[in-house]
Amino acid sequence: MKHFPSTLALLALLAAPALPGCVASKKYDDLRARQSATEQAKNEAERLNRQATTELKKTSDELAQLRLQNRRLTDDSIETGRNLARTQQLYTQLTDSYDRLLKNSDRAMADKTTDYNKVARDLARREAELGELDTSLKKSRADIDRLNQDLTAREAKLGELQKALAEKDRAVDALKASVSNALRGFKGTDLQVEMRNGKVYVSLSEQLLFKSGSTRVDPKGQDALKQLATVLQQQPEVNVVVEGHTDNVPFSRPAGAMQDNWDLSVLRATEIARLLTSGGVAPERVTASGRSQYVPVAPNSSPENKALNRRTEIILTPKLNELFKILDTNSAADGK
């Protein structure tokens, strides 16, 4: 394409001398015109070639871009396919899990229903028990109220009893003081006055009252008993128990109504009871009893101990009528 104009020009120069002038000039103009047209055509062709080259390059670039996009789309499609497969797998897993959950939920619901029914039954039973407990509680409260009333009444009776016991103790103390004062001339080993178990014990030795084996009281003993009777006349609320005691030496020669130590202890107690009643003590207040050798105060292992065991005890007990009334009242209340 680049050598085409030069060839035409050479041909024109060679042909020029052989042509006549006018013909040559005309041809030359034609040639020039043709050359010019050819140049224009060449230029147009080159322009078109450049344009085509540019468009080709643009098209190639666009094609490369499209190929790149195609590869990207292909890669994206492959990744999307993978994601879709993973999604479908996950969906399948989720579906399976959901089905299992539904099955488990049905079983759990059945279990919960069973548990609920059990709880409902337990609740009903507990409500019934609560009702019984409430009834029992009301009954217990009524019992407690009644017991409180009884306790209040008992406390009042206890107060009365304590008051009566205190009065009895004061009476016993006063009685002991009176007896001790009346018999102060006989105190010693032959006569002792003491208080035991809320009672006044007047213990008189055999030496003071009797000769050995005798049931008759000696004059000195009679004086002591007269003074005691004088005190007891001033104490009409005091009961008198006379107890005769001996040692363990048996009778060597039983005679008459006195066969053993039982008889001796009883007859001595009876003799003292007669002396007290003859001294002014009401007979209904006096009780005579014999204990023989069976309530010793010391082992019968020596003459001294045996002498201690040969004794008569006069037990003075204040009458407890008021105490008995209180106790009877309490017993009647307990029997209700």
Side-chain angles (χ1 to χ4, degrees), residues 38-85:
T38 301
E39 287 291 336
Q40 290 179 358
K42 173 191 171 187
N43 290 335
E44 180 66 19
E46 289 178 351
R47 185 184 67 77
L48 292 175
N49 182 55
R50 288 194 301 272
Q51 183 178 358
T53 301
T54 300
E55 290 180 355
L56 178 61
K57 185 178 183 303
K58 181 179 179 181
T59 302
S60 297
D61 291 341
E62 291 177 352
L63 179 61
Q65 185 69 27
L66 289 173
R67 286 174 178 172
L68 179 61
Q69 291 179 356
N70 183 55
R71 284 196 300 272
R72 289 177 178 175
L73 289 173
T74 301
D75 294 339
D76 292 342
S77 177
I78 293 172
E79 183 65 24
T80 300
R82 291 172 182 172
N83 291 335
L84 177 60

Side-chain angles (χ1 to χ4, degrees), residues 76 90 97 104 107 110 112 116 145 187 218 247 267 269:
D76 292 342
L90 181 59
S97 298
N104 292 333
R107 287 195 298 270
K112 292 295 183 183
Y116 172 78
D145 291 339
K187 287 186 177 180
D218 291 341
D247 58 21
L267 292 173

Side-chain angles (χ1 to χ4, degrees), residues 160-171 320 323 326:
E160 295 178 9
L161 184 60
Q162 289 174 339
K163 182 180 178 181
L165 287 172
E167 292 176 355
K168 188 268 297 182
D169 290 340
R170 285 194 295 270
L320 304 178
L323 290 176
I326 296 172

Side-chain angles (χ1 to χ4, degrees), residues 202-219:
V202 181
S203 181
L204 301 99
S205 68
E206 180 189 52
Q207 183 177 354
L208 175 63
L209 297 175
F210 304 100
K211 290 181 174 60
S212 179
S214 173
T215 61
R216 294 181 62 83
V217 180
D218 291 341

Side-chain angles (χ1 to χ4, degrees), residues 39-324:
E39 287 291 336
Q40 290 179 358
K42 173 191 171 187
N43 290 335
E44 180 66 19
E46 289 178 351
R47 185 184 67 77
L48 292 175
N49 182 55
R50 288 194 301 272
Q51 183 178 358
T53 301
T54 300
E55 290 180 355
L56 178 61
K57 185 178 183 303
K58 181 179 179 181
T59 302
S60 297
D61 291 341
E62 291 177 352
L63 179 61
Q65 185 69 27
L66 289 173
R67 286 174 178 172
L68 179 61
Q69 291 179 356
N70 183 55
R71 284 196 300 272
R72 289 177 178 175
L73 289 173
T74 301
D75 294 339
D76 292 342
S77 177
I78 293 172
E79 183 65 24
T80 300
R82 291 172 182 172
N83 291 335
L84 177 60
R86 286 195 297 270
T87 301
Q88 289 176 341
Q89 183 180 5
L90 181 59
Y91 174 77
T92 302
Q93 293 175 353
L94 289 174
T95 302
D96 294 340
S97 298
Y98 178 73
D99 292 338
R100 286 195 300 271
L101 286 174
L102 283 178
K103 293 178 180 178
N104 292 333
S105 176
D106 292 339
R107 287 195 298 270
M109 183 65 71
D111 294 340
K112 292 295 183 183
T113 302
T114 302
D115 293 341
Y116 172 78
N117 292 333
K118 181 180 179 182
V119 170
R121 289 193 299 270
D122 291 342
L123 181 60
R125 186 182 69 254
R126 291 183 181 276
E127 287 178 348
E129 292 175 352
L130 183 60
E132 294 176 358
L133 288 175
D134 184 60
T135 302
S136 177
L137 179 60
K138 291 179 179 178
K139 183 177 181 299
S140 297
R141 286 176 177 171
D143 292 341
I144 290 173
D145 291 339
R146 186 175 62 257
L147 289 175
N148 285 333
Q149 294 175 358
D150 292 343
L151 179 60
T152 301
R154 288 176 182 271
E155 288 176 347
K157 294 296 183 182
L158 179 60
E160 295 178 9
L161 184 60
Q162 289 174 339
K163 182 180 178 181
L165 287 172
E167 292 176 355
K168 188 268 297 182
D169 290 340
R170 285 194 295 270
V172 172
D173 289 337
L175 176 61
K176 178 178 179 295
S178 299
V179 172
S180 298
N181 184 57
L183 301 176
R184 62 180 179 275
F186 301 94
K187 287 186 177 180
T189 58
D190 291 338
L191 189 148
Q192 294 180 354
V193 180
E194 60 182 349
M195 187 165 61
R196 298 197 306 264
N197 302 322
K199 302 175 183 179
V200 177
Y201 283 74
V202 181
S203 181
L204 301 99
S205 68
E206 180 189 52
Q207 183 177 354
L208 175 63
L209 297 175
F210 304 100
K211 290 181 174 60
S212 179
S214 173
T215 61
R216 294 181 62 83
V217 180
D218 291 341
K220 187 177 180 181
Q222 292 181 18
D223 290 340
L225 293 173
K226 287 178 182 179
Q227 294 185 37
L228 178 59
T230 301
V231 174
L232 294 178
Q233 288 182 55
Q234 301 170 4
Q235 303 284 344
E237 298 301 318
V238 174
N239 290 322
V240 181
V241 176
V242 182
E243 285 187 353
H245 299 269
T246 69
D247 58 21
N248 64 345
V249 179
F251 272 77
S252 59
R253 291 190 300 271
M258 192 163 56
Q259 298 294 314
D260 53 21
N261 286 330
W262 277 115
D263 293 334
L264 178 62
S265 64
V266 172
L267 292 173
R268 283 181 172 179
T270 303
E271 180 65 16
I272 292 173
R274 288 195 182 98
L275 289 173
L276 290 175
T277 55
S278 64
V281 181
E284 63 270 15
R285 295 169 53 194
V286 182
T287 301
S289 64
R291 306 298 298 273
S292 186
Q293 65 194 39
Y294 302 107
V295 189
V297 293
N300 289 290
S301 57
S302 66
E304 292 79 13
N305 287 350
K306 290 179 180 179
L308 292 175
N309 291 331
R310 295 191 300 270
R311 70 199 187 280
T312 300
E313 290 185 340
I314 301 175
I315 305 169
L316 308 177
T317 306
K319 292 181 179 180
L320 304 178
N321 296 338
E322 192 63 31
L323 290 176
F324 290 147

